[in-house]
Amino acid sequence: MKKKHLMVALGMTLVLAACNNDDEQNNATDVDESAEIASINDETITEGEFVAYMKNEFGEMAFNQMIQSYVFNQAADELGISEEEIQAELDDVKEQFGVESEEDLLEMLQMQQVPVSDLDQLKEDFIIPQVVIDELRFQDVEISEEDLEAYYEENQDSLHQVEARHILVEDEETAEDVIAELESGTDFEAAVEEYSEDTNSIPAGGNVGFFPREDVMEENFSETAFELEVGEISEPVESSLDYGYHIIEVLDRHDSFEDVREDIEAILNEQEARSPNEVVEELMNEADINILEDEYEDWFQLPEPMM
């Protein structure tokens, strides 16, 4: 099921990434308390002092992150999360970031200061926790065919979409000249390259993708596109935002129930699903967590109750 807003997914799992206890990802060596690791003028810092400082400054946060990491890994084992599910989630993340390879995804995440060094860590710290969250979020959701059809009947106007490409020019006279060229056989994408002033859509041949009737494209553009048949080219359309004049061609339409069925299913599933916060809270509350050293008793914190 297509289900999420990626930043929510990253937001829920980022807290798990800063302190993973997996030996494969832990490059630390045994601590030598007396080893001098830095000098500042005539003073030195020992490794023991450094570790104590890190523990005092970040220990509580790291402690809770480690516990959550263990809880998620154990939940993944109990749920029997498969490699296919993990790969499907990874492919979904790549699609949402607009990249084709895992290497490109890692590079993009690292540019955004996400603490991940390799593919294994990406799966361990981000992908697996998100699969667990989604598995539990949607576990009890049941959407019937009647539910889908009823939603479609009540929300057709907002569900219908068209795919279009356009050429944006400065004035109406130029728009009419370009339309005449198109009617005489000039290729639309070639005309985009030669005439269009919309630099954002030129690389896609003027294609602006699918869009609904409202709230995405400017009003005149949208109204005209929804009136056109597939393959039909508009007359000059004056921009509602004073950008100039559009020449619009509709490439496809999604307006039948079958066209938008998956979109409706995703909407209704999301409405019925539990929130990620609720899932995390439940996992933590149900885990048998025992703090064995008194000095760490005050560090441990369960998630705040849901409002």
Side-chain angles (χ1 to χ4, degrees):
M1 144 193 343
K2 295 290 182 181
K3 66 269 180 187
K4 67 203 142 286
H5 307 293
L6 181 62
M7 297 320 294
V8 172
L10 286 176
M12 289 305 303
T13 53
L14 181 58
V15 71
L16 306 176
C19 190
N20 190 302
N21 200 44
D22 191 340
D23 289 338
E24 291 180 359
Q25 298 170 20
N26 186 354
N27 295 321
T29 57
D30 293 338
V31 175
D32 183 345
E33 296 281 344
S34 62
E36 295 180 351
I37 60 174
S39 64
I40 304 91
N41 296 322
D42 58 350
E43 294 185 280
T44 61
I45 297 175
T46 67
E47 189 167 9
E49 291 171 334
F50 171 70
V51 170
Y53 174 84
M54 294 296 291
K55 180 178 176 180
N56 290 334
E57 289 294 316
F58 307 109
E60 183 174 342
M61 178 182 70
F63 184 63
N64 282 280
Q65 288 169 350
M66 288 180 68
I67 290 173
Q68 287 193 35
S69 180
Y70 274 86
V71 169
F72 270 95
N73 287 333
Q74 291 169 5
D77 290 339
E78 291 174 8
L79 290 167
I81 300 299
S82 67
E83 284 298 321
E84 289 77 14
E85 290 176 281
I86 294 170
Q87 187 60 49
E89 177 70 23
L90 182 59
D91 291 341
D92 192 27
V93 173
K94 289 190 295 183
E95 180 180 346
Q96 291 180 66
F97 270 97
V99 298
E100 295 185 1
S101 69
E102 282 83 3
E103 290 75 16
D104 290 340
L105 177 61
L106 281 170
E107 183 177 350
M108 183 170 291
L109 291 173
Q110 289 163 354
M111 289 175 61
Q112 297 184 17
Q113 306 302 308
V114 176
V116 58
S117 60
D118 55 37
L119 184 59
D120 287 340
Q121 186 184 6
L122 175 63
K123 290 180 179 179
E124 183 79 12
D125 292 342
F126 293 94
I127 303 301
I128 292 175
Q130 188 56 45
V131 174
V132 169
I133 288 172
D134 286 332
E135 182 81 16
L136 295 174
R137 286 188 69 208
F138 298 100
Q139 196 170 50
D140 299 320
V141 175
E142 294 184 3
I143 305 297
S144 69
E145 193 69 17
E146 290 76 17
D147 294 331
L148 298 173
E149 293 173 357
Y151 188 91
Y152 175 75
E153 292 299 325
E154 294 172 8
N155 299 275
Q156 288 189 46
D157 287 344
S158 62
L159 290 167
H160 291 175
Q161 296 190 6
V162 298
E163 180 186 16
R165 58 183 178 181
H166 79 132
I167 302 166
L168 177 65
V169 297
E170 186 174 340
D171 54 59
E172 186 173 11
E173 181 180 355
T174 304
E176 290 173 346
D177 291 341
V178 173
I179 290 172
E181 289 191 24
L182 292 172
E183 290 175 344
S184 66
T186 297
D187 179 72
F188 197 99
E189 291 190 9
V192 169
E193 285 283 347
E194 183 172 354
Y195 295 108
S196 186
E197 297 185 11
D198 178 12
T199 56
N200 290 328
S201 67
I202 287 175
N207 194 325
V208 296
F210 279 94
F211 55 90
R213 185 180 293 272
E214 297 181 351
D215 301 327
V216 175
M217 305 300 292
E218 57 175 283
E219 183 178 0
N220 289 354
F221 190 110
S222 182
E223 287 184 1
T224 300
F226 271 83
E227 291 173 359
L228 296 172
E229 299 296 330
V230 173
E232 186 179 1
I233 296 176
S234 71
E235 296 298 317
V237 178
E238 186 174 6
S239 167
S240 310
L241 303 175
D242 297 325
Y243 292 149
Y245 284 78
H246 301 281
I247 302 154
I248 304 168
E249 180 184 12
V250 168
L251 302 174
D252 198 0
R253 304 182 71 94
H254 283 175
D255 45 24
S256 72
F257 173 71
E258 288 304 322
D259 286 337
V260 298
R261 190 183 190 284
E262 287 189 9
D263 295 333
I264 298 172
E265 188 173 7
I267 292 168
L268 293 182
N269 272 292
E270 191 65 38
Q271 289 177 356
E272 295 297 321
R274 294 187 295 163
S275 73
N277 284 328
E278 186 179 353
V279 171
V280 173
E281 180 185 347
E282 181 182 274
L283 282 171
M284 294 298 294
N285 281 322
E286 291 184 353
D288 182 17
I289 300 171
N290 298 290
I291 309 306
L292 305 178
E293 290 287 340
D294 291 343
E295 68 173 299
Y296 299 106
E297 189 72 40
D298 293 337
W299 279 15
F300 177 60
Q301 297 177 357
L302 285 169
E304 292 291 330
M306 299 292 293
M307 300 298 291

